Amino acid sequence: MSRDVAEACIEAGVAAADPERAVREQLHVEAERLHVGGETFDFADYDRIVVAGGGKAAAAVVRGLGAVLGQRITEGVVVTDGDTEGLRPVEGDDTDEEGDGAEDVTGDDESARDDAEDEENVPPRVEALVGDHPVPSERNVDATERVLDLLERCDERTLVVAPVTGGGSALLAAPTVPLDAFRELTEALVESGADIHEINAVRKRLSRVKGGGLAAAAAPATALALLVSDVVGDDPGVIASGPFAPDESSAEEALAVLDRYGIEADESVREALRTGGEAATDLDHVHTHLLVNTRTAIDAAADLAFESGYDPLVLSSSMRGEAREIALAHVAVAEEVGAAGDPVAPPAAVLSGGEVTVTVAGDGEGGPNLELALAAALDLPEGVTLASVDTDGHDGGTDVAGAVVDSGTVGDDADAAREALADNDALPFLRERDALLDVESTTNVNDLRLVLVE
């Protein structure tokens, strides 16, 4: 029963953070004006409306824009990692992860365009190009050049609507150093245990699109950036490395990250970090609007937990640190709830969000949420169920969102569980015990955790 409730709450949280739904609910057209939050954009001021941006949830944002703006959209290009549902693919040359092309999912094929125009939610003039994540490939670079080309053709009579979502740091790739060197550095950063702010401080200094790069390319057009946040604090300068936000990081900060984590980089990369590009500072033409974030998912999961008979408590939407340490913190809270009724009496649902990291020492299969779940399962008391997922449906480089565990998950296999953790190999251990959790997702708002205490 507890596992069913936990899975249902997680699914409700992920569904609530669907960017397509958020666009439909938060953007509306009235009297030939687009209303977004407290801002209004008069269509009479623009000859063209273009869509340009990227991230894991970019296609979902486009589907929402199709419902709101429809044929008002002149053209567009977004880069995503595979979610093209609702967008009509066109036959062409597919590429593998190391390929040098981008998958065209709307394109110029006339029959595909006619069919797409019949779909309520699909602006047929927007192309979704597929790249690789978390390490960019040549096709990311090619797709990003398409985005830049579109933005550089914009003028003061253009309204740019820009999906900016988690995953965009890798998907929108225009490195100022050779791609192989940028890939090696990205892999080292991801495996080092550095948090997203530290990783982005480095990546921004080596890119033509991050840190306001896309905003600079779009000028003098008016730009409306629609944000789907996967970072603690929802800083527009951190989400997707801030392509429409000013870069407040420095060369010293970026170099300090490499030194802090012992990451080797050749002198040409270090020189590029030191010199960097001119940071985009004049961004008066940019407007930003946050669509959804981790709290969106937490609140929806808490609501369903309440309806299921549990007293919900949000521990924090900003949890961060090593996965195993955060796991122990959740176990400790569950123990206190069960033993003393503090800070909430059982039956209780303790929820949290944020971004945990893993310092990779082994060569196994897993991700931060899988590692957190396995570490927690070693110490969970009876009557406690924990679920932890990445809301994009892919924990780390795996094909599962995360896991749901209880005191019986490890059982008599504590030694094997510890060995799996030591080798960063949580996935096969949890798979053998039917603890993996799959989630259908079109969003990316960071991690979501739920602890049920009976």
Side-chain angles (χ1 to χ4, degrees):
M1 176 64 179
S2 297
R3 173 167 180 157
D4 292 339
V5 173
E7 291 186 8
C9 289
I10 292 292
E11 290 170 358
V14 172
D18 176 18
E20 178 181 350
R21 185 168 87 176
V23 171
R24 287 170 172 261
E25 293 176 350
Q26 298 174 33
L27 278 67
H28 67 278
V29 174
E30 183 179 343
E32 288 304 299
R33 293 178 174 87
L34 174 63
H35 299 267
V36 186
E39 297 188 281
T40 300
F41 302 86
D42 192 332
F43 293 138
D45 294 336
Y46 308 105
D47 298 326
R48 303 167 66 230
I49 298 177
V50 304
V51 176
K56 292 182 179 180
V61 176
V62 171
R63 291 192 290 269
L65 291 173
V68 175
L69 295 175
Q71 299 305 307
R72 291 183 177 88
I73 296 174
T74 308
E75 61 180 312
V77 179
V78 295
V79 187
T80 186
D81 70 338
D83 169 25
T84 58
E85 182 180 351
L87 302 179
R88 197 167 301 279
V90 177
E91 292 184 5
D93 294 331
D94 292 333
T95 59
D96 57 22
E97 287 190 357
E98 303 303 321
D100 58 2
E103 181 183 345
D104 182 346
V105 298
T106 55
D108 294 324
D109 182 272
E110 199 63 37
S111 63
R113 184 180 296 279
D114 291 341
D115 289 342
E117 288 177 352
D118 293 334
E119 298 285 345
E120 176 190 3
N121 302 339
V122 182
R125 300 178 182 91
V126 177
E127 294 175 286
L129 309 179
V130 177
D132 297 301
H133 184 278
V135 180
S137 68
E138 193 67 43
R139 65 178 182 173
N140 298 50
V141 175
D142 291 344
T144 303
E145 287 297 331
R146 293 279 303 281
V147 174
L148 282 167
D149 176 68
L150 173 58
L151 291 176
E152 288 167 353
R153 290 188 281 110
C154 295
D155 59 24
E156 65 276 2
R157 296 280 301 173
T158 305
L159 174 62
V160 175
V161 184
V164 178
T165 86
S169 293
L171 292 165
L172 292 166
T176 57
V177 297
L179 179 59
D180 286 346
F182 188 73
R183 284 171 55 86
E184 290 176 6
L185 184 60
T186 300
E187 288 177 331
L189 286 166
V190 169
E191 295 181 357
S192 70
D195 65 31
I196 192 63
H197 294 76
E198 294 170 316
I199 294 173
N200 284 353
V202 176
R203 292 192 290 196
K204 284 183 185 182
R205 304 288 302 179
L206 302 174
S207 172
R208 294 188 292 123
V209 298
K210 308 182 198 315
L214 289 188
T222 298
L224 170 61
L226 299 177
L227 309 181
V228 176
S229 175
D230 68 332
V231 300
V232 172
D234 305 326
D235 183 351
V238 180
I239 302 167
S241 296
F244 286 88
D247 181 10
E248 298 180 356
S249 63
S250 66
E252 292 75 18
E253 182 181 352
L255 291 166
V257 171
L258 301 189
D259 295 338
R260 186 177 307 130
Y261 293 96
I263 296 173
E264 295 183 3
D266 62 40
E267 184 54 33
S268 64
V269 172
R270 286 183 172 270
E271 180 61 22
L273 287 171
R274 281 190 287 267
T275 56
E278 286 294 325
T281 55
D282 184 10
L283 301 182
D284 291 341
H285 62 297
V286 177
H287 308 259
T288 60
H289 178 74
L290 179 65
L291 291 170
V292 291
N293 60 7
T294 306
R295 188 70 198 216
T296 311
I298 290 174
D299 288 345
D303 288 344
L304 184 56
F306 179 77
E307 294 172 9
S308 303
Y310 295 84
D311 192 2
L313 170 72
V314 177
L315 191 61
S316 172
S317 62
S318 305
M319 300 291 285
R320 52 199 182 273
E322 282 285 329
R324 298 181 209 181
E325 296 174 2
I326 301 300
L328 291 177
H330 283 74
V331 171
V333 171
E335 290 171 339
E336 196 70 16
V337 170
D342 271 335
V344 63
V350 179
L351 301 103
S352 75
E355 181 175 49
V356 298
T357 55
V358 173
T359 302
V360 178
D363 59 359
E365 296 179 273
N369 288 280
L370 293 169
E371 187 140 326
L372 185 151
L374 180 53
L378 279 164
D379 291 301
L380 282 177
E382 289 188 15
V384 177
T385 301
L386 177 144
S388 184
V389 301
D390 190 325
T391 54
D392 70 359
H394 300 278
D395 187 36
T398 73
D399 290 327
V400 299
V404 55
V405 297
D406 56 29
S407 60
T409 301
V410 171
D412 296 329
D413 295 330
D415 288 342
R418 292 189 179 94
E419 289 178 7
L421 285 171
D423 198 32
N424 302 118
D425 201 28
L427 178 64
F429 184 96
L430 292 169
R431 177 188 287 129
E432 291 175 3
R433 288 148 185 85
D434 194 29
L436 298 181
L437 189 55
D438 291 311
V439 176
E440 291 291 330
S441 175
T442 58
T443 192
N444 182 26
V445 291
N446 227 318
D447 302 334
L448 174 60
R449 282 171 293 279
L450 171 74
V451 181
L452 296 179
V453 184
E454 300 301 334

